[in-house]
């Protein structure tokens, strides 16, 4: 997706605060379901309400005299973009990962705990996004890459930028490294842990430092240290 499409989508989206409310009440709870409210009576004076807080709150207020208590669970406020429906993704997504809608994830990729994939991001087949890494809006990651724990691939929503981060195939980005917006990391290169990439990285090199500079070409010893384990990417198919 281009910058303007994402900007317009977020600007025009209906902002919602999804909640799940467990209600204990006397008698029948007056609640009519609609597209913004789901009502699940469980019997014995208990009802579960799922929907937008703007729709749920009036139900609780209207039934105030019947309510014994209610527990409200929510994890966002005025959210513009829902999370991606992961059921159709042929990849391994671990608990605690945050994957927003309109993200593309290739076959047998891995997204670890705490990782964040923002709107419009693309993750290639067989790539691992490690713990607490951030793949910013519109960032593109190729096949068979490893984005290390805590690494950041900058997004391009604010401030606006014409070009997203592009990480080509078979790249390793070390832990806590940062790739700034508009930068391209060439195929097979290695970004050392903690490096800050402020300009394009050629293919087949190792960069390190702040800002990152080429320190050597990728050799057999480097490839041995940065090789991927196909077993980790094995699914049930």
């Amino acid at each position: 997706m281009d910058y303007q499409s994402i900007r317009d989508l977020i600007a025009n989206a209906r902002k919602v605060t999804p909640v799940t409310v467990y209600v204990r009440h006397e008698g029948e709870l007056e609640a009519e379901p609609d597209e913004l409210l789901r009502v699940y009576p469980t019997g014995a004076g208990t009802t579960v309400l799922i929907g937008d807080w703007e729709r749920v709150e009036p139900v609780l207020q209207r039934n105030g005299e019947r309510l014994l208590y209610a527990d409200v669970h929510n994890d966002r406020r005025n959210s513009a973009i829902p999370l991606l429906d992961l059921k159709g993704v042929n990849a391994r997504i671990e608990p605690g990962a945050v994957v927003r809608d309109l993200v593309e994830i290739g076959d047998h990729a891995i997204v670890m705990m705490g990782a964040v994939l923002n709107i419009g991001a693309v993750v290639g087949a067989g790539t691992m996004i490690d713990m607490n890494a951030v793949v910013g809006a519109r960032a593109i990651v190729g096949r068979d890459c490893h984005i290390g724990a805590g690494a950041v691939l900058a997004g391009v929503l604010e401030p606006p930028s014409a070009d997203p981060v592009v990480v080509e195939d078979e790249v390793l980005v070390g832990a806590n490294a940062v790739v700034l917006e508009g930068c391209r990391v060439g195929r097979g290169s290695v970004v050392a842990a903690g490096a800050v990439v402020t300009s394009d990285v050629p293919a087949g090199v190792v960069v390190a430092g702040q800002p990152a500079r080429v320190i050597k070409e990728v050799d057999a010893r480097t490839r041995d240290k940065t090789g991927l384990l196909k077993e980790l990417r094995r699914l049930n198919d």
Side-chain angles (χ1 to χ4, degrees):
M1 298 185 68
D2 60 35
Y3 162 74
Q4 289 185 342
S5 297
I6 295 177
R7 179 200 62 189
D8 294 344
L9 179 64
I10 294 175
N12 298 323
R14 186 182 188 279
K15 311 307 186 292
V16 296
T17 303
V19 298
T20 299
V21 185
Y22 301 88
V23 185
R24 185 69 172 165
H25 53 86
E26 296 177 336
E28 296 293 327
L29 193 73
E30 294 182 4
E32 291 295 328
D34 55 34
E35 63 179 6
L36 296 177
L37 175 65
R38 297 291 182 264
V39 181
Y40 298 93
T42 62
T46 303
T47 300
V48 179
L49 305 173
I50 300 176
D52 186 6
W53 179 241
E54 290 186 4
R55 183 71 178 84
V56 173
E57 185 180 27
V59 172
L60 299 178
Q61 294 174 342
R62 186 167 61 250
N63 289 274
E65 294 183 356
R66 297 184 180 89
L67 300 188
L68 300 176
Y69 48 83
D71 291 320
V72 181
H73 297 262
N74 78 293
D75 62 359
R76 70 204 78 176
R77 176 65 173 160
N78 292 323
S79 181
I81 303 297
L83 299 181
L84 181 68
D85 183 353
L86 299 175
K87 296 189 295 298
V89 177
N90 190 36
R92 178 157 66 90
I93 315 295
E94 294 295 348
V98 177
V99 184
R100 298 187 85 186
D101 201 10
L102 304 177
V103 167
E104 297 180 22
I105 301 176
D107 290 346
H108 298 268
I110 301 171
V111 182
M112 294 295 288
M113 297 80 72
V116 176
L117 278 61
N118 206 353
I119 184 172
V122 177
V123 174
T127 284
M128 176 184 283
I129 309 299
D130 215 332
M131 293 182 293
N132 299 316
V134 175
V135 181
R138 296 179 58 216
I140 299 171
V141 184
R143 299 173 59 94
D144 299 321
C145 296
H146 186 118
I147 308 302
V152 175
L153 308 182
V156 290
L157 288 185
E158 190 176 62
S161 175
D163 298 315
V165 167
V166 176
V167 175
E168 297 183 1
D169 298 346
E170 301 173 1
V171 166
L172 185 143
V173 176
N176 298 314
V178 176
V179 181
L180 297 183
E181 59 268 12
C183 295
R184 176 181 289 266
V185 180
R187 180 170 183 164
S189 286
V190 175
V191 177
V196 177
V197 176
T198 60
S199 59
D200 290 352
V201 174
V205 300
V206 179
V207 298
Q210 301 177 2
R213 295 286 185 266
V214 176
I215 59 173
K216 68 175 185 175
E217 294 185 354
V218 171
D219 53 22
R221 183 178 181 185
T222 304
R223 284 192 291 270
D224 183 61
K225 288 183 176 181
T226 59
L228 304 182
L229 295 176
K230 293 184 178 180
E231 292 80 3
L232 299 180
R233 290 146 176 83
R234 186 177 299 151
L235 301 176
N236 296 325
D237 52 4

